[in-house]
Amino acid sequence: MTSSSDYGSHSWGLTLTIDHPQPEVPKELLLQVTGDLHIGGLMLKLVEQIQIAQDWSDYAFWWEQKKCWLLKTHWTLDKCGVQADAKLLFTTQHKMLRLRLPNLKTVRLKVSFSSMVFRAVSDICKMLNIRRSEELSLLKQSEGTLKKKKKKDKNSKEPLTEDILNLCDSPVSSGLSANPGLYSKTMTPVYDPVSGSPASSTITWFSDSPLAEQNCSILALSYPNCSPETLAEMYQPRSLADKAKLNAGWLDSSRSLMEQGILEEDQLLLRFKYYTFFDLNPKYDAVRINQIYEQARWAILLEEIDCTEEEMLIFAALQAKYHVSKLSLSSEAQDMTCESEVDEVEAALSNLEVTLEGGKASKVLEDITDIPKLADNLKLVRPKKLALKAIKSYWFVFRDTSISYFKNQESAQGEPIEKLNLKGCEVVPDVNVAAKKFGIKLLIPVADGMNEVYLRCDNENQYARWMAACVLASKGKTMADSSYQPEVQKILSFLEMKNWTMCPQTASETESVDMKPECFVSLRYTKKYKSKQLTARILEAHQNVSQMSLVEAKLRFIQAWQSLPEFGLSYYIVRFKGSKKDDVLGVSYNRLIRIDMATGDPITTWRFSSMKQWNVNWEIRQVAIEFDQNVSIAFTCLSADCKVIHEYIGGYIFLSTRSKDQNETLDEDLFHKLTGGQE
């Protein structure tokens, strides 16, 4: 036996709090320890004192004052800096968390509160059958986006009930036979999965997932739209400042949930943070495709991203795909098998090019030294501040990444009137198919801001070729790049969807279809048109997508979303060094855009491809970035922590390093090196 005097003056008392559900376990214990006792030894000593036989492997010490986990069990108390005043909580590392998915369904599952968020998200995605977890992250809703909802809840007389899919009690994980009554009614597929997402192949990829077998399709299927009343209650950003609130709460991927103040049973949003959807494959990505589609759908319905009336009707037609096809589903369609649908979608994918940078090499690439060029008569429109737009026809030549224009074709051998270098410019479609308007808006960076130029094309084919060339040139690529032809096809297929005419049977269909069109468009259009008018217009647009399978319709929806000018932009309110007013910074997968907060006009664009380095001055919370040609910028972030923007930039650069040659494992160390900072 060791007497207390043998400890000498080096021993001291350490009070430990124990987080355990059983009442017989003491809440606090005082242990006599020395500074050279390691963390593992302290855990052993504590468990011996508790005297309850159970698996303690998930337990660890959480240091309340320092907001950190003591996970290095070989470190001594002295090395950790633990002294007598330290408050250590002995608690489980895995705790229950509620996650709201992009389709607005809530799942409840056990998540590691001690792992870095990057790793925790990876584990969550494996449970939910979502590949490419690096594209997602966890978002804490900011107070500004909750106010309207809370106010409404307070006045509501009926108690609020939320359907939660409880994955911790999954029959698969507990080895019991499947119980169809386990899941909430709203999570039950409301239409035949045979004509929906091909979920069968997903099971082979995630065989150990709680969602495997019969439950795999639960998150891969779409459900009826919410009512217009529910839509009206949801947070809808009205300005760029409102949109900035949506991105304020991204969690730090390099720290754990517990370190960021997340508690057991808290609710977080699981969202696609990075808009670079890599290697979308219907065979394995039924859940992922559906959740991307749902995130896109809500972004459009809540007007988080702007689109024209014509585009809104296309999105409505694609959403209404199931509703309309259900009414006229032939027996032949019902007999379709999942495998045939997968083949059909794979064929469609070769044309869709759903990845952003996309592009498969063409079978025969012409002489690589012979860079193609475009030459055509186009109209040039230059907006004038105090007068009408000046429209004039010129002979345009597109070569490399520049556009030159001449008085006429004969003078094309001489000096051009002007040469526009499109590298780093913003390319915005200015199209109205019904009015036969095919315009391209170019915002070209100049010393004092952006030079605004409009090009007008005569028809769809001319527009698709010039638009594709402009998009590639803005990224520093020429028409010799393998992604040029797929880009042309993508633009043409989108224009084809927009090009519809009134069919005689549409009027009679309008009378018979009870489709609640208010569920398929944003509130702005429900106020503008009567219900019957909207139904008729959606059914008109639906004619162009009626032959698609449901999965192809989702992929088309994602593609159309990617075609919008504002796609992939996350907004933050910032103050640039030397500026006296606040600006908005748009962060995209390949560039940063400085935007005037009052007008919403882009001021300057900086491409990641020309970025030399970026860092953060953690003392003054300022992000500094250096670009080629001695261009440097610095700003502080006002709507979120500067670490959020720092991580966005590093995250997009990390995602650009992915290739199809790699296996599914990620270089986690590289991610943290690019995003973690030196705080």
Side-chain angles (χ1 to χ4, degrees), residues 1 20 62 90 103 207 321 359 362 394 511 556 589 627:
M1 295 293 290
H20 199 280
W62 166 254
F90 192 52
N103 66 347
S207 57
K321 171 74 192 161
S362 52
Y394 293 100
E511 297 297 323
R556 287 277 177 158
Y589 72 99
F627 298 92

Side-chain angles (χ1 to χ4, degrees), residues 227-259:
S227 66
E229 294 77 27
T230 308
L231 190 66
E233 287 174 21
M234 297 173 77
Y235 178 76
Q236 295 178 52
R238 300 293 178 206
S239 63
L240 282 175
D242 288 345
K243 289 179 182 180
K245 289 178 188 174
L246 298 171
N247 297 296
W250 287 111
L251 295 190
D252 187 338
S253 297
S254 303
R255 292 161 67 212
S256 69
L257 290 170
M258 202 94 151
E259 287 173 75

